[in-house]
Amino acid sequence: MWFNEANDSHFFLIPGLIVLVMTIIGAFLTAMVVAREWERGTLEALFVTPMQAGEFLTAKFVPYFGLGMIGFVLCLLAANFYSMSPCVARCFCCVSLQ
């Protein structure tokens, strides 16, 4: 563990919160939408359309990717302004890694 002279735990909690928000929004909600369509029976109706599997997954993933990016930016803003957590990377680097 890195040296933490002031013993401030929020420097370690904020990155964990960002990972948690991105995981819940990105993966969990996308999987729940596909599972809900399977349970309702609308997924079988999509199977008979001329849509490819990649198009279906892209259509389900893109809105939640946008929501995840909004959540990511809000978490970064909260980390910088609310808890005064230092952000040592440039914003472009943070977004491009996502």
Side-chain angles (χ1 to χ4, degrees):
M1 186 159 127
W2 292 337
F3 182 71
N4 188 2
E5 184 176 332
N7 203 13
D8 290 330
S9 64
H10 67 274
F11 291 140
F12 299 105
L13 293 176
I14 300 293
L17 176 68
I18 293 173
V19 169
L20 183 67
V21 167
M22 293 299 296
T23 302
I24 288 175
I25 290 176
F28 186 67
L29 288 179
T30 304
M32 291 299 291
V33 165
V34 174
R36 183 179 58 205
E37 287 204 13
W38 182 266
E39 289 176 354
R40 288 185 179 175
T42 57
L43 197 59
E44 285 86 5
L46 288 173
F47 285 151
V48 298
T49 62
M51 181 173 36
Q52 300 292 326
E55 294 171 346
F56 171 73
L57 291 175
T58 303
K60 295 297 175 187
F61 179 73
V62 168
Y64 293 105
F65 179 77
L67 284 175
M69 289 279 91
I70 291 171
F72 178 69
V73 169
L74 288 176
C75 285
L76 280 181
L77 290 175
N80 284 331
F81 296 117
Y82 179 68
S83 66
M84 299 302 171
S85 226
C87 184
V88 294
R90 295 183 181 179
C91 288
F92 178 74
C93 294
C94 292
V95 173
S96 67
L97 290 176
Q98 192 48 264

Coordinates of all heavy atoms in Angstrom, one line a residue:
M1 N 0.9 -1.2 0.0 CA 0.0 0.0 0.0 C 0.9 1.2 0.0 O 1.9 1.3 0.6 CB -0.9 0.0 1.2 CG -1.9 1.1 1.2 SD -3.3 0.6 2.3 CE -3.3 2.0 3.4
W2 N 0.5 2.2 -0.7 CA 1.2 3.5 -0.8 C 1.2 4.2 0.6 O 0.3 4.0 1.4 CB 0.7 4.4 -1.8 CG 0.9 3.9 -3.2 CD1 1.8 3.0 -3.6 CD2 0.1 4.2 -4.4 NE1 1.7 2.8 -5.0 CE2 0.7 3.5 -5.5 CE3 -0.9 5.1 -4.6 CZ2 0.2 3.6 -6.7 CZ3 -1.4 5.2 -5.9 CH2 -0.8 4.4 -6.9
F3 N 2.1 5.0 0.8 CA 2.2 5.8 2.0 C 1.1 6.8 2.0 O 1.0 7.6 1.1 CB 3.6 6.4 2.2 CG 3.7 7.2 3.5 CD1 3.8 6.5 4.7 CD2 3.8 8.6 3.5 CE1 3.9 7.2 5.8 CE2 3.9 9.3 4.6 CZ 4.0 8.6 5.8
N4 N 0.3 6.9 3.1 CA -0.8 7.8 3.2 C -0.6 8.5 4.6 O -1.0 8.1 5.6 CB -2.1 7.0 3.2 CG -3.3 8.0 3.2 OD1 -3.1 9.2 3.1 ND2 -4.5 7.4 3.2
E5 N 0.2 9.6 4.5 CA 0.6 10.4 5.7 C -0.6 10.9 6.5 O -0.6 10.8 7.7 CB 1.5 11.5 5.3 CG 2.1 12.3 6.5 CD 3.1 13.3 6.0 OE1 3.7 13.1 5.0 OE2 3.2 14.3 6.8
A6 N -1.6 11.4 5.8 CA -2.7 12.0 6.5 C -3.8 11.0 6.9 O -4.7 11.3 7.6 CB -3.4 13.1 5.7
N7 N -3.6 9.7 6.5 CA -4.5 8.6 6.7 C -5.9 8.9 6.2 O -6.9 8.7 6.9 CB -4.5 8.3 8.2 CG -5.0 6.9 8.5 OD1 -5.1 6.1 7.5 ND2 -5.3 6.6 9.7
D8 N -6.0 9.5 5.0 CA -7.3 9.8 4.4 C -7.8 8.6 3.6 O -7.1 8.2 2.6 CB -7.2 11.0 3.5 CG -6.9 12.3 4.2 OD1 -7.4 12.4 5.4 OD2 -6.3 13.2 3.7
S9 N -8.9 8.1 4.0 CA -9.4 6.9 3.3 C -10.2 7.2 2.0 O -10.4 6.4 1.2 CB -10.2 6.0 4.2 OG -11.4 6.8 4.6
H10 N -10.6 8.5 1.9 CA -11.4 8.8 0.7 C -10.6 8.8 -0.5 O -11.2 8.7 -1.6 CB -12.2 10.2 0.9 CG -11.3 11.4 1.0 ND1 -10.7 11.8 2.2 CD2 -10.9 12.2 0.0 CE1 -10.0 12.9 1.9 NE2 -10.1 13.2 0.6
F11 N -9.3 8.9 -0.4 CA -8.5 8.8 -1.7 C -8.6 7.4 -2.2 O -8.3 7.1 -3.4 CB -7.0 9.1 -1.4 CG -6.8 10.6 -1.1 CD1 -5.9 11.0 -0.1 CD2 -7.5 11.6 -1.8 CE1 -5.7 12.3 0.1 CE2 -7.3 12.9 -1.5 CZ -6.4 13.3 -0.6
F12 N -8.9 6.4 -1.4 CA -9.1 5.0 -1.9 C -10.5 4.6 -2.1 O -10.8 3.7 -2.9 CB -8.4 4.1 -0.9 CG -7.0 4.3 -0.6 CD1 -6.5 4.9 0.5 CD2 -6.1 3.9 -1.6 CE1 -5.2 5.1 0.7 CE2 -4.7 4.1 -1.4 CZ -4.3 4.8 -0.2
L13 N -11.4 5.3 -1.5 CA -12.9 5.0 -1.6 C -13.4 5.5 -2.9 O -14.3 4.9 -3.5 CB -13.7 5.5 -0.4 CG -13.3 4.8 0.9 CD1 -14.1 5.4 2.0 CD2 -13.7 3.3 0.8
I14 N -13.0 6.7 -3.3 CA -13.6 7.3 -4.5 C -13.3 6.5 -5.8 O -14.2 6.2 -6.6 CB -13.0 8.8 -4.7 CG1 -13.5 9.6 -3.5 CG2 -13.5 9.4 -6.0 CD1 -14.9 9.8 -3.4
P15 N -12.0 6.0 -6.0 CA -11.8 5.1 -7.2 C -12.7 3.9 -7.2 O -13.1 3.4 -8.2 CB -10.3 4.8 -7.2 CG -9.7 5.9 -6.4 CD -10.8 6.3 -5.4
G16 N -12.8 3.3 -6.0 CA -13.7 2.1 -5.8 C -15.1 2.4 -6.2 O -15.8 1.6 -6.8
L17 N -15.6 3.6 -5.8 CA -17.0 4.0 -6.1 C -17.1 4.2 -7.6 O -18.2 3.8 -8.2 CB -17.3 5.3 -5.4 CG -18.7 5.9 -5.7 CD1 -19.8 5.1 -5.2 CD2 -18.7 7.3 -5.2
I18 N -16.1 4.7 -8.3 CA -16.2 4.9 -9.8 C -16.3 3.5 -10.4 O -17.1 3.3 -11.3 CB -15.0 5.7 -10.3 CG1 -15.1 7.1 -9.8 CG2 -14.9 5.7 -11.8 CD1 -13.9 8.0 -10.1
V19 N -15.5 2.6 -10.0 CA -15.6 1.2 -10.6 C -16.9 0.6 -10.3 O -17.5 -0.1 -11.2 CB -14.4 0.3 -10.0 CG1 -14.6 -1.1 -10.3 CG2 -13.1 0.8 -10.4
L20 N -17.5 0.8 -9.1 CA -18.8 0.2 -8.8 C -19.9 0.8 -9.7 O -20.7 0.0 -10.2 CB -19.1 0.4 -7.3 CG -20.4 -0.2 -6.8 CD1 -20.3 -1.7 -6.8 CD2 -20.6 0.3 -5.4
V21 N -19.9 2.1 -9.9 CA -20.9 2.7 -10.7 C -20.8 2.3 -12.2 O -21.8 1.9 -12.8 CB -20.8 4.3 -10.6 CG1 -21.6 5.0 -11.7 CG2 -21.2 4.7 -9.2
M22 N -19.5 2.2 -12.7 CA -19.4 1.8 -14.0 C -19.8 0.3 -14.2 O -20.3 -0.1 -15.3 CB -17.9 2.0 -14.5 CG -17.5 3.4 -14.5 SD -18.4 4.3 -15.7 CE -17.9 3.5 -17.2
T23 N -19.5 -0.6 -13.3 CA -19.9 -2.0 -13.4 C -21.4 -2.2 -13.4 O -21.9 -2.9 -14.2 CB -19.2 -2.8 -12.3 OG1 -17.8 -2.6 -12.3 CG2 -19.5 -4.2 -12.4
I24 N -22.0 -1.5 -12.4 CA -23.5 -1.6 -12.3 C -24.2 -1.1 -13.6 O -25.1 -1.8 -14.1 CB -24.0 -0.9 -11.1 CG1 -23.5 -1.8 -9.8 CG2 -25.5 -0.8 -11.1 CD1 -23.9 -1.1 -8.5
I25 N -23.8 0.1 -14.0 CA -24.5 0.7 -15.2 C -24.1 -0.1 -16.4 O -25.0 -0.4 -17.2 CB -24.1 2.2 -15.3 CG1 -24.8 2.9 -14.1 CG2 -24.6 2.7 -16.6 CD1 -24.5 4.4 -14.1
G26 N -22.9 -0.3 -16.7 CA -22.4 -0.9 -17.9 C -22.8 -2.4 -18.1 O -23.5 -2.7 -19.1
A27 N -22.5 -3.2 -17.2 CA -22.7 -4.7 -17.4 C -24.0 -5.1 -16.8 O -24.8 -5.8 -17.5 CB -21.6 -5.4 -16.7
F28 N -24.3 -4.7 -15.6 CA -25.5 -5.3 -15.0 C -26.8 -4.8 -15.7 O -27.7 -5.7 -15.9 CB -25.5 -4.9 -13.5 CG -26.6 -5.5 -12.7 CD1 -26.7 -6.8 -12.5 CD2 -27.6 -4.7 -12.2 CE1 -27.7 -7.4 -11.7 CE2 -28.6 -5.2 -11.4 CZ -28.7 -6.6 -11.2
L29 N -26.9 -3.6 -16.0 CA -28.2 -3.1 -16.6 C -28.4 -3.6 -18.0 O -29.5 -3.9 -18.4 CB -28.2 -1.6 -16.6 CG -28.5 -0.9 -15.2 CD1 -28.5 0.6 -15.3 CD2 -29.8 -1.4 -14.6
T30 N -27.3 -3.7 -18.7 CA -27.4 -4.3 -20.1 C -27.8 -5.7 -20.0 O -28.7 -6.2 -20.8 CB -26.0 -4.2 -20.8 OG1 -25.6 -2.8 -20.8 CG2 -26.1 -4.6 -22.2
A31 N -27.3 -6.5 -19.1 CA -27.7 -7.9 -19.0 C -29.1 -8.0 -18.5 O -29.9 -8.9 -19.0 CB -26.8 -8.6 -18.0
M32 N -29.6 -7.1 -17.7 CA -31.0 -7.2 -17.2 C -31.9 -6.8 -18.3 O -33.0 -7.4 -18.4 CB -31.1 -6.2 -16.0 CG -30.4 -6.6 -14.8 SD -31.0 -8.2 -14.2 CE -32.6 -7.8 -13.6
V33 N -31.6 -5.9 -19.2 CA -32.5 -5.6 -20.3 C -32.6 -6.8 -21.3 O -33.8 -7.1 -21.7 CB -31.9 -4.4 -21.1 CG1 -32.6 -4.2 -22.4 CG2 -32.1 -3.1 -20.2
V34 N -31.5 -7.5 -21.6 CA -31.6 -8.6 -22.4 C -32.4 -9.8 -21.8 O -33.3 -10.4 -22.4 CB -30.2 -9.1 -22.9 CG1 -30.3 -10.4 -23.6 CG2 -29.5 -8.0 -23.7
A35 N -32.2 -10.0 -20.5 CA -32.9 -11.0 -19.7 C -34.4 -10.7 -19.7 O -35.3 -11.6 -19.8 CB -32.4 -11.2 -18.3
R36 N -34.8 -9.4 -19.5 CA -36.2 -9.0 -19.5 C -36.8 -9.3 -20.8 O -38.0 -9.7 -20.8 CB -36.3 -7.6 -19.0 CG -37.7 -7.1 -18.9 CD -37.8 -5.7 -18.5 NE -37.1 -4.8 -19.5 CZ -36.6 -3.6 -19.2 NH1 -36.7 -3.2 -17.9 NH2 -36.0 -2.9 -20.1
E37 N -36.1 -9.0 -21.9 CA -36.7 -9.2 -23.2 C -36.9 -10.7 -23.4 O -37.9 -11.2 -24.1 CB -35.9 -8.6 -24.3 CG -36.0 -7.1 -24.3 CD -35.6 -6.6 -25.7 OE1 -35.6 -7.3 -26.6 OE2 -35.5 -5.4 -25.8
W38 N -36.0 -11.5 -22.9 CA -36.1 -13.0 -23.0 C -37.3 -13.5 -22.3 O -38.1 -14.3 -22.7 CB -34.9 -13.7 -22.5 CG -34.9 -15.2 -22.7 CD1 -35.3 -16.0 -21.7 CD2 -34.6 -15.9 -23.9 NE1 -35.2 -17.3 -22.2 CE2 -34.8 -17.3 -23.5 CE3 -34.2 -15.6 -25.1 CZ2 -34.6 -18.3 -24.5 CZ3 -33.9 -16.6 -26.0 CH2 -34.2 -17.9 -25.7
E39 N -37.6 -13.0 -21.1 CA -38.7 -13.4 -20.2 C -40.0 -12.9 -20.8 O -41.0 -13.6 -20.7 CB -38.5 -12.9 -18.8 CG -37.4 -13.6 -18.1 CD -37.2 -13.0 -16.7 OE1 -37.9 -11.9 -16.4 OE2 -36.4 -13.5 -15.9
R40 N -40.1 -11.8 -21.4 CA -41.3 -11.3 -21.9 C -41.7 -11.9 -23.3 O -42.8 -11.8 -23.8 CB -41.3 -9.7 -22.1 CG -41.3 -9.0 -20.8 CD -41.3 -7.5 -21.1 NE -41.4 -6.8 -19.8 CZ -41.3 -5.5 -19.8 NH1 -41.2 -4.8 -20.9 NH2 -41.4 -4.9 -18.6
G41 N -40.7 -12.5 -23.9 CA -41.0 -13.1 -25.2 C -40.7 -12.2 -26.4 O -41.0 -12.7 -27.5
T42 N -40.3 -11.0 -26.2 CA -40.1 -10.1 -27.3 C -38.7 -10.4 -28.0 O -38.5 -10.0 -29.1 CB -40.1 -8.7 -26.8 OG1 -39.1 -8.5 -25.8 CG2 -41.4 -8.3 -26.3
L43 N -37.9 -11.2 -27.3 CA -36.6 -11.6 -28.0 C -36.8 -12.5 -29.1 O -36.2 -12.5 -30.2 CB -35.7 -12.2 -26.9 CG -34.2 -12.2 -27.3 CD1 -33.6 -10.9 -27.6 CD2 -33.4 -12.9 -26.2
E44 N -37.8 -13.4 -29.0 CA -38.2 -14.3 -30.1 C -38.7 -13.5 -31.3 O -38.5 -13.9 -32.4 CB -39.2 -15.4 -29.6 CG -38.6 -16.4 -28.8 CD -38.6 -16.0 -27.3 OE1 -39.1 -14.9 -27.0 OE2 -38.0 -16.8 -26.5
A45 N -39.4 -12.5 -31.0 CA -39.9 -11.6 -32.1 C -38.7 -11.0 -32.9 O -38.8 -10.7 -34.1 CB -40.9 -10.6 -31.6
L46 N -37.7 -10.6 -32.1 CA -36.5 -10.0 -32.8 C -35.7 -11.0 -33.6 O -35.0 -10.7 -34.5 CB -35.6 -9.4 -31.7 CG -36.1 -8.1 -31.1 CD1 -35.3 -7.7 -29.9 CD2 -36.2 -7.0 -32.1
F47 N -35.8 -12.3 -33.2 CA -35.1 -13.4 -33.9 C -35.6 -13.5 -35.4 O -34.8 -13.9 -36.3 CB -35.2 -14.7 -33.2 CG -34.4 -14.8 -32.0 CD1 -34.7 -15.7 -31.0 CD2 -33.2 -14.1 -31.9 CE1 -34.0 -15.8 -29.8 CE2 -32.4 -14.2 -30.7 CZ -32.8 -15.1 -29.7
V48 N -36.8 -13.2 -35.6 CA -37.4 -13.4 -37.0 C -37.1 -12.1 -37.9 O -37.5 -12.2 -39.0 CB -38.9 -13.7 -37.0 CG1 -39.1 -15.0 -36.3 CG2 -39.7 -12.6 -36.3
T49 N -36.6 -11.1 -37.3 CA -36.3 -9.9 -38.1 C -35.0 -10.0 -38.8 O -34.2 -10.9 -38.4 CB -36.3 -8.6 -37.2 OG1 -35.2 -8.8 -36.2 CG2 -37.6 -8.4 -36.5
P50 N -34.7 -9.3 -39.8 CA -33.4 -9.4 -40.5 C -32.2 -8.8 -39.8 O -31.2 -8.5 -40.4 CB -33.7 -8.8 -41.9 CG -34.7 -7.8 -41.6 CD -35.6 -8.4 -40.5
M51 N -32.4 -8.6 -38.5 CA -31.3 -7.9 -37.7 C -30.3 -9.0 -37.3 O -30.6 -10.1 -36.9 CB -31.9 -7.3 -36.5 CG -30.9 -6.6 -35.6 SD -31.6 -5.6 -34.2 CE -33.0 -6.6 -33.7
Q52 N -29.0 -8.6 -37.4 CA -27.9 -9.4 -37.0 C -27.7 -9.4 -35.5 O -28.2 -8.5 -34.8 CB -26.6 -9.0 -37.7 CG -26.6 -9.0 -39.2 CD -26.7 -10.4 -39.7 OE1 -26.2 -11.4 -39.1 NE2 -27.4 -10.6 -40.8
A53 N -27.0 -10.4 -35.0 CA -26.8 -10.4 -33.5 C -25.9 -9.2 -33.0 O -26.2 -8.7 -32.0 CB -26.1 -11.7 -33.1
G54 N -25.0 -8.8 -33.8 CA -24.1 -7.7 -33.5 C -24.9 -6.4 -33.4 O -24.7 -5.5 -32.6
E55 N -25.9 -6.2 -34.3 CA -26.7 -5.0 -34.3 C -27.6 -5.0 -33.1 O -27.8 -4.0 -32.5 CB -27.6 -5.0 -35.6 CG -26.8 -4.8 -36.9 CD -27.7 -5.0 -38.1 OE1 -28.8 -5.5 -38.0 OE2 -27.2 -4.6 -39.2
F56 N -28.1 -6.2 -32.7 CA -28.9 -6.2 -31.5 C -28.1 -5.9 -30.3 O -28.6 -5.1 -29.4 CB -29.5 -7.6 -31.4 CG -30.2 -7.9 -30.1 CD1 -31.5 -7.3 -29.8 CD2 -29.7 -8.7 -29.1 CE1 -32.1 -7.5 -28.6 CE2 -30.3 -8.9 -27.9 CZ -31.5 -8.3 -27.7
L57 N -27.0 -6.5 -30.1 CA -26.1 -6.2 -29.0 C -25.7 -4.7 -28.9 O -25.6 -4.1 -27.9 CB -24.9 -7.1 -28.9 CG -25.3 -8.6 -28.6 CD1 -24.1 -9.4 -28.7 CD2 -25.9 -8.7 -27.3
T58 N -25.4 -4.2 -30.1 CA -25.0 -2.8 -30.1 C -26.2 -1.9 -29.7 O -26.0 -0.9 -29.0 CB -24.5 -2.4 -31.6 OG1 -23.4 -3.3 -31.9 CG2 -24.1 -1.0 -31.6
A59 N -27.4 -2.2 -30.2 CA -28.5 -1.4 -29.9 C -28.8 -1.4 -28.4 O -29.3 -0.5 -27.8 CB -29.7 -1.8 -30.7
K60 N -28.5 -2.5 -27.7 CA -28.8 -2.7 -26.3 C -27.6 -2.1 -25.5 O -27.8 -1.7 -24.3 CB -29.0 -4.1 -25.9 CG -30.2 -4.7 -26.5 CD -31.4 -4.0 -26.0 CE -32.7 -4.6 -26.7 NZ -33.8 -3.8 -26.4
F61 N -26.4 -2.1 -26.0 CA -25.3 -1.6 -25.3 C -25.0 -0.1 -25.3 O -24.6 0.5 -24.3 CB -24.0 -2.4 -25.8 CG -22.8 -2.0 -25.1 CD1 -22.5 -2.4 -23.8 CD2 -21.8 -1.2 -25.7 CE1 -21.4 -2.1 -23.1 CE2 -20.7 -0.9 -25.0 CZ -20.4 -1.3 -23.8
V62 N -25.3 0.5 -26.4 CA -24.9 1.9 -26.6 C -25.6 2.9 -25.6 O -25.0 3.7 -25.1 CB -25.2 2.3 -28.1 CG1 -25.1 3.8 -28.3 CG2 -24.2 1.7 -29.0
P63 N -26.9 2.7 -25.4 CA -27.6 3.6 -24.4 C -27.0 3.5 -23.0 O -26.7 4.5 -22.3 CB -29.0 3.2 -24.4 CG -29.3 2.5 -25.6 CD -28.0 1.9 -26.0
Y64 N -26.6 2.3 -22.6 CA -26.1 2.1 -21.3 C -24.6 2.5 -21.2 O -24.1 2.9 -20.2 CB -26.3 0.7 -20.8 CG -27.7 0.4 -20.6 CD1 -28.5 -0.4 -21.4 CD2 -28.4 1.0 -19.5 CE1 -29.8 -0.6 -21.2 CE2 -29.7 0.7 -19.3 CZ -30.4 0.0 -20.2 OH -31.8 -0.2 -20.0
F65 N -23.9 2.5 -22.3 CA -22.6 3.0 -22.4 C -22.6 4.5 -22.2 O -21.8 5.1 -21.5 CB -21.9 2.6 -23.7 CG -20.5 3.2 -23.9 CD1 -19.5 2.5 -23.2 CD2 -20.3 4.3 -24.7 CE1 -18.2 3.0 -23.3 CE2 -19.0 4.8 -24.8 CZ -17.9 4.1 -24.1
G66 N -23.6 5.2 -22.8 CA -23.7 6.6 -22.7 C -24.1 6.9 -21.2 O -23.5 7.9 -20.6
L67 N -25.0 6.2 -20.6 CA -25.3 6.4 -19.2 C -24.0 6.1 -18.3 O -23.8 6.9 -17.3 CB -26.4 5.5 -18.7 CG -27.8 5.9 -19.2 CD1 -28.8 4.8 -18.8 CD2 -28.2 7.2 -18.6
G68 N -23.3 5.1 -18.6 CA -22.0 4.9 -17.9 C -21.0 6.0 -18.0 O -20.4 6.3 -17.0
M69 N -20.9 6.6 -19.2 CA -20.0 7.7 -19.3 C -20.5 8.9 -18.5 O -19.7 9.6 -18.0 CB -19.9 8.1 -20.8 CG -19.1 7.1 -21.6 SD -17.3 7.2 -21.5 CE -16.9 6.2 -20.2
I70 N -21.8 9.2 -18.5 CA -22.3 10.3 -17.7 C -22.0 10.0 -16.2 O -21.6 10.9 -15.5 CB -23.8 10.4 -18.0 CG1 -24.0 11.0 -19.4 CG2 -24.4 11.4 -17.0 CD1 -25.5 11.0 -19.9
G71 N -22.3 8.8 -15.8 CA -22.0 8.4 -14.4 C -20.5 8.6 -14.1 O -20.1 9.0 -13.0
F72 N -19.6 8.2 -15.0 CA -18.2 8.3 -14.8 C -17.8 9.8 -14.7 O -17.0 10.1 -13.8 CB -17.5 7.7 -16.0 CG -16.0 7.8 -16.0 CD1 -15.3 7.1 -15.0 CD2 -15.3 8.5 -16.9 CE1 -13.9 7.1 -15.0 CE2 -13.9 8.6 -16.9 CZ -13.2 7.9 -15.9
V73 N -18.3 10.6 -15.5 CA -18.0 12.1 -15.5 C -18.5 12.6 -14.1 O -17.8 13.4 -13.5 CB -18.5 12.8 -16.7 CG1 -18.4 14.3 -16.5 CG2 -17.8 12.4 -17.9
L74 N -19.7 12.3 -13.7 CA -20.2 12.8 -12.5 C -19.4 12.3 -11.3 O -19.2 13.0 -10.3 CB -21.7 12.3 -12.3 CG -22.7 13.0 -13.2 CD1 -24.1 12.4 -13.0 CD2 -22.7 14.5 -13.0
C75 N -18.9 11.0 -11.3 CA -18.1 10.6 -10.3 C -16.7 11.3 -10.2 O -16.2 11.6 -9.2 CB -17.8 9.1 -10.4 SG -19.2 8.0 -9.9
L76 N -16.2 11.6 -11.4 CA -14.9 12.3 -11.4 C -15.1 13.8 -10.9 O -14.3 14.3 -10.2 CB -14.4 12.4 -12.9 CG -13.6 11.2 -13.4 CD1 -13.1 11.5 -14.8 CD2 -12.4 10.9 -12.5
L77 N -16.2 14.4 -11.3 CA -16.5 15.7 -10.8 C -16.7 15.7 -9.2 O -16.2 16.6 -8.5 CB -17.7 16.3 -11.5 CG -17.5 16.7 -12.9 CD1 -18.9 17.1 -13.5 CD2 -16.5 17.8 -13.1
A78 N -17.4 14.7 -8.8 CA -17.6 14.6 -7.3 C -16.3 14.3 -6.6 O -16.1 14.9 -5.5 CB -18.6 13.5 -7.0
A79 N -15.4 13.5 -7.2 CA -14.1 13.3 -6.6 C -13.3 14.5 -6.5 O -12.6 14.8 -5.6 CB -13.4 12.2 -7.4
N80 N -13.4 15.3 -7.6 CA -12.5 16.5 -7.6 C -13.1 17.7 -6.8 O -12.3 18.4 -6.1 CB -12.3 17.0 -9.0 CG -11.4 16.2 -9.8 OD1 -10.5 15.6 -9.2 ND2 -11.5 16.1 -11.1
F81 N -14.4 17.9 -6.7 CA -14.9 19.0 -6.1 C -15.5 18.8 -4.7 O -15.4 19.6 -3.8 CB -16.0 19.7 -7.0 CG -15.4 20.2 -8.3 CD1 -15.9 19.7 -9.5 CD2 -14.5 21.2 -8.3 CE1 -15.4 20.1 -10.6 CE2 -14.0 21.7 -9.5 CZ -14.4 21.1 -10.7
Y82 N -16.0 17.6 -4.5 CA -16.6 17.3 -3.2 C -15.6 16.8 -2.2 O -15.6 17.3 -1.1 CB -17.8 16.3 -3.4 CG -18.4 15.9 -2.1 CD1 -19.2 16.8 -1.4 CD2 -18.3 14.6 -1.6 CE1 -19.8 16.5 -0.2 CE2 -18.9 14.3 -0.4 CZ -19.7 15.2 0.3 OH -20.3 14.9 1.5
S83 N -14.8 15.9 -2.6 CA -13.9 15.3 -1.6 C -12.5 15.8 -1.8 O -11.6 15.3 -1.1 CB -13.9 13.8 -1.7 OG -13.4 13.4 -2.9
M84 N -12.2 16.6 -2.8 CA -10.9 17.2 -3.1 C -9.9 16.1 -3.3 O -8.7 16.1 -2.9 CB -10.4 18.1 -2.0 CG -11.3 19.3 -1.7 SD -11.5 20.3 -3.2 CE -12.7 21.4 -2.7
S85 N -10.3 15.0 -3.9 CA -9.4 13.9 -4.3 C -8.6 14.3 -5.5 O -9.1 14.9 -6.5 CB -10.3 12.7 -4.7 OG -9.8 11.6 -4.1
P86 N -7.3 14.1 -5.4 CA -6.5 14.6 -6.6 C -6.7 13.7 -7.8 O -6.7 12.5 -7.7 CB -5.0 14.5 -6.1 CG -5.1 13.5 -5.0 CD -6.5 13.5 -4.4
C87 N -6.8 14.3 -8.9 CA -6.9 13.6 -10.2 C -5.6 13.9 -11.0 O -5.5 15.0 -11.4 CB -8.1 14.0 -11.0 SG -8.4 13.0 -12.5
V88 N -4.7 12.9 -11.1 CA -3.4 13.2 -11.7 C -3.4 12.9 -13.2 O -2.4 13.3 -13.8 CB -2.3 12.4 -11.0 CG1 -2.2 12.8 -9.6 CG2 -2.6 10.9 -11.0
A89 N -4.4 12.3 -13.7 CA -4.5 12.0 -15.2 C -5.3 13.1 -15.9 O -6.1 13.8 -15.3 CB -5.1 10.7 -15.4
R90 N -5.0 13.2 -17.2 CA -5.8 14.2 -18.0 C -7.1 13.5 -18.2 O -7.3 12.3 -18.3 CB -5.1 14.5 -19.3 CG -3.8 15.2 -19.0 CD -3.1 15.6 -20.3 NE -1.9 16.2 -20.0 CZ -1.1 16.7 -21.0 NH1 -1.4 16.5 -22.2 NH2 0.0 17.3 -20.6
C91 N -8.2 14.4 -18.5 CA -9.5 13.9 -18.7 C -9.6 13.0 -19.9 O -10.3 12.0 -20.0 CB -10.5 15.0 -18.8 SG -10.8 15.8 -17.2
F92 N -8.9 13.3 -21.0 CA -8.9 12.5 -22.2 C -8.4 11.1 -22.0 O -8.9 10.2 -22.5 CB -8.1 13.2 -23.3 CG -8.1 12.4 -24.6 CD1 -9.2 12.3 -25.4 CD2 -6.9 11.7 -25.0 CE1 -9.2 11.6 -26.5 CE2 -6.9 11.0 -26.1 CZ -8.0 10.9 -26.9
C93 N -7.3 11.0 -21.1 CA -6.8 9.7 -20.8 C -7.8 8.9 -20.0 O -7.9 7.7 -20.3 CB -5.5 9.9 -20.0 SG -4.2 10.6 -21.0
C94 N -8.5 9.5 -19.1 CA -9.5 8.8 -18.3 C -10.6 8.2 -19.2 O -11.0 7.1 -19.0 CB -10.0 9.7 -17.2 SG -8.8 10.1 -15.9
V95 N -11.1 9.1 -20.1 CA -12.2 8.7 -20.9 C -11.8 7.7 -21.9 O -12.5 6.7 -22.2 CB -12.9 9.9 -21.6 CG1 -13.9 9.5 -22.6 CG2 -13.4 10.8 -20.5
S96 N -10.6 7.8 -22.5 CA -10.2 6.9 -23.5 C -9.9 5.5 -23.0 O -10.0 4.5 -23.7 CB -8.9 7.4 -24.2 OG -7.8 7.4 -23.4
L97 N -9.5 5.4 -21.7 CA -9.3 4.1 -21.1 C -10.6 3.3 -20.9 O -10.7 2.1 -20.8 CB -8.6 4.2 -19.7 CG -7.2 4.6 -19.8 CD1 -6.6 4.9 -18.4 CD2 -6.3 3.6 -20.6
Q98 N -11.7 4.0 -20.8 CA -13.0 3.4 -20.5 C -13.5 2.9 -21.8 O -13.9 1.9 -22.1 CB -14.0 4.5 -20.0 CG -15.2 4.0 -19.5 CD -15.1 2.8 -18.5 OE1 -15.2 2.1 -18.8 NE2 -14.9 2.6 -17.4

